[in-house]
Amino acid sequence: MSKRNYWKGINIITDTAWGDSGKGKIVDLAAQNVDMVIRYNGGGNAGHTVKNEHGVFKNHLMPSGIYNSNALCILTGGVVIDPFMLVGEILDHKEKGIKISPRNLLISQDAHLVMPWHKKRDGLKEKARGGSKIGTTGQGIGPTYSDRRNREGIRIRDLLRPDFEKIFEREFVYQKKLIDLMGGKQLTSDFNKKEILNKLLEAKEILAPLIANVLPIIWKYQEEGRNILGEGAQGALLDLELGGYPYVTSSHPGVAGFSLSTGIQHKNVKKVIGVTKAYTTRVGEGPMPTELLNETGEHIQKKGGEFGATTGRPRRCGWLDVPAVKYGIRITGVDSIALMKLDVLDELKEVKICVGYKVGRQQFKDLPTADPEVMEKAKPIYITFPGWQKDTTGAKSLKELPRNAQKYVAAAEKLLDTPIEMISISPEREATIFVI
Ligand code: IMP
């Protein structure tokens, strides 16, 4: 199958576990063959790394399709936007020679703005939670989505209103009161109203031409049968509804999140591609049954560069957790897998896959829930495979991978009960084996 055919129609790229699997790379690769890339959830908490002919980018808000000048990238109303962060990313891309205009980037008028007070509220809440903190990225994600649910806050379309300054004033007073109530009284002096307003008005100069009602544009592309790609952020197990609540984010990383903010329904989506690392990582709090608190875990962390793209926090590393990933596959509607970072395991003498959990006297092959109370008690059951101890990075096909690596991939595919259609063995776009 040609690459263009593979990406034909409406496809979604999402993560099957706790995020950070390398979605940025796969979206950048896919974007060469599509007409529209839609980022549909999350905000500045995401960090999508892309390495291509333009350089290395760690995008938080910029859709990873922006490097195909023929693709129209969209930030939907499901994304929460820190306007200063987005402007920073737009200017950075322009500096690196990537043109940004309404021809290749549009922002839904319905997106909520993440303001400095949301970040403050995020931090205050985490502090108040003490030992049971979530370990958020501190990017104001929860408070902004709560405001949206409460029908409060500022939407990006408000920037364009002639009475914006009044809206801002009202919001500023309200948010200050809220923070005072949270016991952060002394902290509200951090907010300089005039300074924030002026910065917003400056940001408006850059953002205004990009703000639009994106729905009719998305639907026109859909009606014309053009190739549309959904770019999810975070991962299945961080889903607000079906993830490991409360150690989750406040949005929906899978096909449900895509449908919610585009109005394109699941039945119209051709394929959901679940990006899955050859091992498992997690950043922030919450149980992670296969976490390796030993030299192997450190080796994976170092070789895989497993440090948060947004916070720089070290990511917890462990063996591929099949029950967790299978649960993620189910709740995000995944049809096929892109297996990432296989090369990170190259040097290991042996590699393991978790095929089930023991919870007290019970054994689970399939996870009935992502409930942290269950997962905290889960003891992984492993299958051990001999390592390949050979460099995989130059391989161009499955056959060119060392035998033991091929066996590992085949076992992962069987255990996950989902076809592995891509294998990534290095950050570059080209270092991707298609198994289709
Ligand atoms: P929040 O999204 O900042 O509220 O963080 C909630 C939880 O989701 C924390 O455990 C974060 O570490 C995690 N999280 C949020 N965004 C990402 C991401 O892009 N990758 C991995 N973990 C994330």
Side-chain angles (χ1 to χ4, degrees), residues 15 18-21 23 39 42-48 122 126 134-143 145 233-235 238 246-251 281-286 309-311 313 315-316:
D15 174 298
W18 287 288
D20 308 317
S21 52
K23 291 182 291 293
R39 164 80 186 270
N45 50 352
H48 293 177
D122 198 351
E126 281 286 83
I134 294 168
T136 72
T137 59
Q139 290 299 315
I141 303 301
Y145 277 115
Q234 289 79 50
L238 295 172
Y247 300 106
V248 292
T249 190
S250 297
S251 67
T281 64
R282 173 164 205 177
V283 64
E285 304 302 319
T310 300
T311 58
R313 289 181 293 182
R315 295 179 188 141
R316 300 150 67 189

Side-chain angles (χ1 to χ4, degrees), residues 293-355:
L293 297 165
N294 59 16
E295 271 178 15
T296 309
E298 274 169 35
H299 171 80
I300 293 174
Q301 187 181 71
K302 212 162 154 206
K303 173 124 198 247
E306 296 296 352
F307 297 90
T310 300
T311 58
R313 289 181 293 182
R315 295 179 188 141
R316 300 150 67 189
C317 298
W319 299 120
L320 178 62
D321 186 335
V322 166
V325 172
K326 265 178 95 176
Y327 180 87
I329 287 172
R330 166 172 274 269
I331 65 167
T332 40
V334 163
D335 302 296
S336 82
I337 285 182
L339 191 71
M340 310 301 287
K341 290 187 148 184
L342 183 67
D343 56 299
V344 172
L345 305 180
D346 280 357
E347 280 102 14
L348 297 176
K349 266 206 190 110
E350 55 180 34
V351 282
K352 295 186 185 189
I353 297 182
C354 166
V355 294

